[in-house]
Amino acid sequence: MRGTSLCTQTDNITSARMARIRQAGTHAELAVRAALRCLGLSYRLNVRSLPGSPDLANKRRGFAVFVQGCFWHQHTACARATIPKRNTEFWTAKFEVNRKRDARAIRELRQAGYRVIVVWECQAPRSAALLVRLRRLLWIA
Ligand SMILES: [Zn+2]
């Protein structure tokens, strides 16, 4: 593999990016939590007993929500879904693993009868749109 040697500068940049994205992810998750509460829906966090450990889920109501970081989960056509210029092969492989894992978890949940919602971190700040979308997807009148 080419360009896999450790580069301190790259690591620093990547760490900063990761920290920023983790922050954004938390923010996005809070927005989803607020939206679900607004709809009167209870949920549990990080439900490890379900495929892919959904960030939020309610087994009785049969829904699962993944709040995906645009960078880590490579949101299609999103400006945040950049691929680092250093160690490109490493990152491409890593993202591919993430995407496959996501797709499999969603497939398994749907097969088990769950309604699955993926909320991207870049969408979450638009809370009104998020509410409409959650309401529609969860079939709440
Ligand atoms: Zn995005």
Side-chain angles (χ1 to χ4, degrees):
M1 201 185 277
R2 185 176 48 83
T4 49
S5 65
L6 285 176
C7 168
T8 317
Q9 200 189 346
T10 307
D11 287 348
N12 285 342
I13 292 166
T14 307
S15 299
R17 187 204 298 272
M18 279 157 61
R20 205 163 59 236
I21 280 158
R22 206 172 290 134
Q23 198 86 36
T26 303
H27 182 75
E29 192 180 301
L30 288 176
V32 173
R33 285 158 70 168
L36 287 174
R37 275 198 306 275
C38 184
L39 295 171
L41 295 166
S42 60
Y43 51 80
R44 287 190 27 223
L45 300 173
N46 304 316
V47 185
R48 298 192 188 284
S49 54
L50 291 176
S53 302
D55 297 295
L56 307 103
N58 182 320
K59 288 187 185 180
R60 193 173 51 80
R61 284 193 176 258
F63 72 81
V65 184
F66 289 97
V67 183
Q68 309 279 54
C70 299
F71 174 70
W72 286 112
H73 299 269
Q74 291 290 292
H75 187 195
T76 306
C78 174
R80 298 184 191 194
T82 55
I83 293 174
K85 290 194 170 40
R86 296 249 183 176
N87 300 342
T88 303
E89 289 155 38
F90 166 79
W91 288 105
T92 304
K94 189 175 181 62
F95 291 148
E96 189 57 28
V97 169
N98 284 353
R99 289 182 74 127
K100 281 196 175 134
R101 193 194 295 125
D102 295 343
R104 203 175 97 207
I106 291 167
R107 203 167 53 237
E108 286 177 6
L109 282 164
R110 288 199 170 130
Q111 279 165 0
Y114 277 81
R115 280 162 285 162
V116 183
I117 297 148
V118 175
V119 177
W120 295 95
E121 65 178 0
C122 66
Q123 301 167 334
R126 297 191 293 276
S127 52
L130 183 66
L131 258 180
V132 169
R133 189 163 159 246
L134 287 172
R135 183 178 284 143
R136 198 181 61 226
L137 287 166
L138 295 171
W139 304 334
I140 297 161

